[in-house]
Amino acid sequence: MNDETIQDTLDRENLYIAPLDRRFWAYVIDSVLISFLIFVINFNTFAALSTQGIEESTKALQEMPLLALEVYVLGFIYQGLFTFLYGASLGKMALKIRVISVDLLDSPNALYSFWRAFLREVSQVVYFIPFFFAFGDRFKRTLYDRASRTIVIYQNR
């Protein structure tokens, strides 16, 4: 679907593109939620870092690569599942924005939801470069939005 067709569809359906500031704050909310969940899951590891000696702390620090992997996997599951089921993560819901498929004008199917979530997590690993595509795009689409054929809209209801 080209840009003109997307714009015509958005106009016809009375849909508005979500502003980047709302998307940013939704990202912050989701990151805080995931960080809190990781902290709860790995409380014993963090407690070992603060209460044990150097040898025990070194053993706990050796688990950090697994912790980073856990953060990405949890983020992938969280983003993919919430996008598929609700069209939005908790952060997006709080800020009244939603991810929709440009083809369906509804929540993306499971394949596109999880593909978008995977590419979103990869984007974080490569210094957020794919996020910058939103600044030059008419519909504020990031690289992973383009690849998964989605756009983020503002829910005015």
Side-chain angles (χ1 to χ4, degrees):
M1 200 178 270
N2 64 23
D3 286 359
E4 292 303 319
T5 308
I6 293 172
Q7 186 62 54
D8 290 342
T9 304
L10 292 174
D11 291 342
R12 184 182 65 242
E13 298 295 327
N14 202 24
L15 299 173
Y16 303 97
I17 300 299
L20 288 177
D21 62 332
R22 283 186 177 264
R23 291 183 71 174
F24 171 77
W25 288 112
Y27 176 84
V28 169
I29 291 168
D30 290 335
S31 295
V32 168
L33 289 172
I34 289 172
S35 298
F36 179 74
L37 189 57
I38 291 295
F39 178 76
V40 169
I41 291 170
N42 295 293
F43 182 76
N44 290 338
T45 302
F46 293 122
L49 284 173
S50 64
T51 61
Q52 295 179 349
I54 292 176
E55 284 185 28
E56 292 82 13
S57 294
T58 304
K59 290 177 186 175
L61 285 173
Q62 290 172 348
E63 294 180 20
M64 288 302 160
L66 289 175
L67 182 64
L69 180 63
E70 197 174 301
V71 169
Y72 289 113
V73 169
L74 187 62
F76 165 73
I77 292 169
Y78 169 75
Q79 289 292 332
L81 198 58
F82 271 80
T83 301
F84 172 61
L85 294 176
Y86 307 109
S89 62
L90 294 174
K92 287 181 182 72
M93 287 179 200
L95 292 167
K96 297 186 183 338
I97 60 177
R98 185 167 183 241
V99 178
I100 62 169
S101 167
V102 294
D103 300 324
L104 305 171
L105 297 181
D106 199 9
S107 299
N109 64 28
L111 177 67
Y112 282 127
S113 295
F114 282 97
W115 177 241
R116 181 181 189 277
F118 173 75
L119 292 175
R120 183 180 184 278
E121 294 303 313
V122 169
S123 296
Q124 294 177 30
V125 174
V126 293
Y127 306 109
F128 298 94
I129 292 170
F131 289 96
F132 293 113
F133 283 78
F135 293 108
D137 186 68
R138 178 178 181 181
F139 302 108
K140 311 271 190 276
R141 292 175 294 184
T142 59
L143 197 55
Y144 56 84
D145 282 324
R146 288 175 181 234
S148 60
R149 303 184 49 78
T150 59
I151 54 177
V152 181
I153 61 165
Y154 177 69
Q155 291 182 299
N156 52 354
R157 39 183 161 131

